[in-house]
Amino acid sequence: MSEVMNRARRRLLAAGAGMAGLATVSRVARGQGATVDLPIVNGKRNVAAYPEKRPLIVLTSRPPQLETPFEVFNDGVITPNDAFFVRYHNAGIPTSIDPDKYVIKIGGNAAGKPYALGLADLRTQFKPVELVAVNQCSGNSRGLFAPRVTGGQLTNGAMGNARWVGVPLKDVLAKAELKNSAKQVTFNGLDTAIFNGGDFVKALDVNQALDPDVMIAYQMNGADIPMLNGFPVKLVVPGYYGTYWVKHLSEIEVIDSVYDGFWMRPAYRIPDNDCACVEPGTAPASTRPIGRFNVRSFITSLSDGAKLRAGQQVIVRGIAFDGGQGIREVAYSTDGGRTWREAKLGDDLGRYSFREFTFPFTPEKGAYEVCVRAWNRSGQSQPMEALWQPAGYMRNVVERIGVTAG
């Protein structure tokens, strides 16, 4: 076994031992009174440091759902591994994995040559690629919907941006010799359902699965993927919501039909119209599977209620991203959206990445409503007022914060 694999195995066994005590870790944090008050109804949350993670905001502990504290996004456009959000659907999550025995099975009724792929083979028999991409939970910001919707009440921290290294999925599928009848590809991981909901299996149309940017990743920000984010490999579908980013990827099936398992139907569906929205309190006439991100932008260096010094310039920073067109422009307003100016864009790390922006602000004495709005290269932007849907997915809106200068 290579030295790289030795290191990975030693690290994972240590993480696995800690994972067995997830509930204990959370109880210790609660016992110490580590909490945060989020700006939503019933927003008091525990804060806990899980294995391989710094203290994160706990939505649920079984299964783990951990939100990144928003101030992390002001530290840089790459989200550190130990601060990256965690989202599981099933409580039966793996707590230790032996890389030597890890296998991905590739098959299905539309695969001409099924085979099994070991982790060492994945790392050595295919040409690796690197991509910077945002992973965002479909329900990111759900707690901010008005009227309120059911589901995990997240604020804006269920997202993160990382540098992923792995193998193009299309190269792995090519060895399976897809038949002409192939219609979709399904993906399964090692997490299992203990109660209701069924095994977490997702599907992509064949054309999307063969996109050269879709990868089986085995490295995140220059290190092994943390256990809670999918060690040793996860599916990376850049520009698409995190529901498709299957963790601990263990089975790929090429099929000649449209997969209709629970997590594709009825779960993770959005209104089938141009805005993916309906009037509050109503149900959509028809739905489709959730897909790509819409455009989002956030101020990261100022928080709502911030106090500034009158007459002193501050450089305001933020991030913007979309589903893969790339950010073309960010504008800012300091008067609640009545007038706008162009912000300065930072380095372009790729069309799937966070894009930093900055703008100068020298307030006189008084109160200000500061807004930001982004456009991608296709001209798509954010609405001035948030749209609504019953599942609480895909929130995007011109974000506003109130600040005062004195």
Side-chain angles (χ1 to χ4, degrees):
M1 187 170 60
S2 71
E3 179 58 26
V4 171
M5 297 297 285
N6 269 311
R7 289 199 302 270
R9 184 176 184 184
R10 287 196 297 268
R11 189 181 62 81
L12 237 294
L13 290 174
M19 286 288 294
L22 284 179
T24 301
V25 172
S26 186
R27 282 197 299 270
V28 168
R30 286 198 294 270
Q32 294 173 343
T35 61
V36 63
D37 288 310
L38 300 177
I40 58 176
V41 176
N42 297 325
K44 189 171 185 177
R45 298 281 187 272
N46 295 312
V47 176
Y50 281 58
E52 300 183 289
K53 296 292 180 180
R54 69 177 72 175
L56 300 180
I57 301 165
V58 180
L59 179 60
T60 62
S61 58
R62 186 174 176 86
Q65 296 186 77
L66 311 176
E67 183 175 348
T68 302
F70 195 77
E71 58 267 21
V72 168
F73 301 116
N74 195 51
D75 294 339
V77 293
I78 298 297
T79 310
N81 288 4
D82 69 347
F84 217 91
F85 82 98
V86 173
R87 171 68 165 112
Y88 279 93
H89 297 80
N90 291 326
I93 66 173
T95 58
S96 63
I97 295 172
D98 186 343
D100 292 341
K101 298 178 181 179
Y102 195 85
V103 171
I104 306 172
K105 297 178 181 178
I106 300 98
N109 62 16
K113 188 180 289 185
Y115 71 106
L117 182 64
L119 184 57
D121 294 334
L122 181 72
R123 288 175 175 264
T124 59
Q125 294 184 9
F126 299 88
K127 184 178 180 180
V129 293
E130 181 178 290
L131 185 72
V132 180
V134 174
N135 184 7
Q136 180 185 204
C137 179
S138 307
N140 191 29
S141 315
R142 181 187 281 122
L144 301 170
F145 270 74
R148 198 175 188 192
V149 297
T150 59
Q153 300 299 298
L154 296 158
T155 52
N156 295 325
M159 62 181 183
N161 189 42
R163 191 178 301 276
W164 308 95
V165 173
V167 171
L169 174 64
K170 67 180 182 65
D171 293 351
V172 172
L173 293 176
K175 289 190 63 175
E177 298 183 2
L178 275 58
K179 298 178 182 179
N180 292 335
S181 61
K183 184 170 288 187
Q184 286 198 326
V185 184
T186 68
F187 306 90
N188 196 2
L190 293 181
D191 49 316
T192 58
I194 292 178
F195 301 108
N196 297 324
D199 200 9
F200 190 79
V201 179
K202 297 297 294 186
L204 295 173
D205 290 343
V206 164
N207 288 343
Q208 177 61 24
L210 295 177
D211 185 307
D213 289 337
V214 178
M215 72 163 75
I216 300 175
Y218 52 76
Q219 193 177 87
M220 178 179 174
N221 292 332
D224 294 318
I225 298 170
M227 183 67 128
L228 286 170
N229 294 115
F231 181 91
V233 294
K234 74 182 298 169
L235 186 68
V236 168
V237 189
Y240 275 60
Y241 283 95
T243 180
Y244 295 101
W245 294 46
V246 175
K247 295 181 286 294
H248 321 290
L249 181 63
S250 59
E251 188 174 13
I252 300 171
E253 291 201 342
V254 187
I255 59 176
D256 61 5
S257 59
V258 174
Y259 180 75
D260 63 354
F262 178 85
W263 295 104
M264 292 298 295
R265 183 190 298 270
Y268 285 104
R269 312 280 295 189
I270 59 175
D272 190 11
N273 54 36
D274 289 343
C275 67
C277 68
V278 294
E279 287 296 315
T282 67
S286 61
T287 63
R288 66 179 185 267
I290 196 170
R292 288 187 179 273
F293 303 155
N294 44 26
V295 182
R296 304 205 74 177
S297 60
F298 299 93
I299 292 170
T300 59
S301 62
L302 294 176
S303 58
D304 193 49
K307 308 292 185 183
L308 304 178
R309 181 173 295 180
Q312 181 171 311
Q313 185 185 86
V314 295
I315 301 299
V316 181
R317 296 194 303 275
I319 52 174
F321 66 100
D322 78 325
Q325 294 294 320
I327 295 300
R328 182 193 72 197
E329 179 185 354
V330 174
Y332 72 94
S333 171
T334 59
D335 56 13
R338 291 189 295 275
T339 61
W340 295 88
R341 298 179 181 179
E342 187 173 353
K344 179 181 179 181
L345 294 179
D347 293 341
D348 187 352
L349 300 185
R351 61 194 179 103
Y352 299 112
S353 173
F354 285 157
R355 187 78 183 268
E356 187 180 51
F357 63 84
T358 58
F359 60 88
F361 179 36
T362 306
E364 298 303 320
K365 188 174 182 178
Y368 297 84
E369 186 178 54
V370 185
C371 315
V372 289
R373 189 178 189 185
W375 287 263
N376 68 9
R377 293 189 176 107
S378 294
Q380 298 166 325
S381 187
Q382 300 149 275
M384 294 297 291
E385 301 295 333
L387 306 176
W388 191 90
Q389 55 166 261
Y393 297 145
M394 297 180 66
R395 178 181 166 88
N396 78 322
V397 67
V398 171
E399 302 286 345
R400 305 164 183 268
I401 62 169
V403 300
T404 57

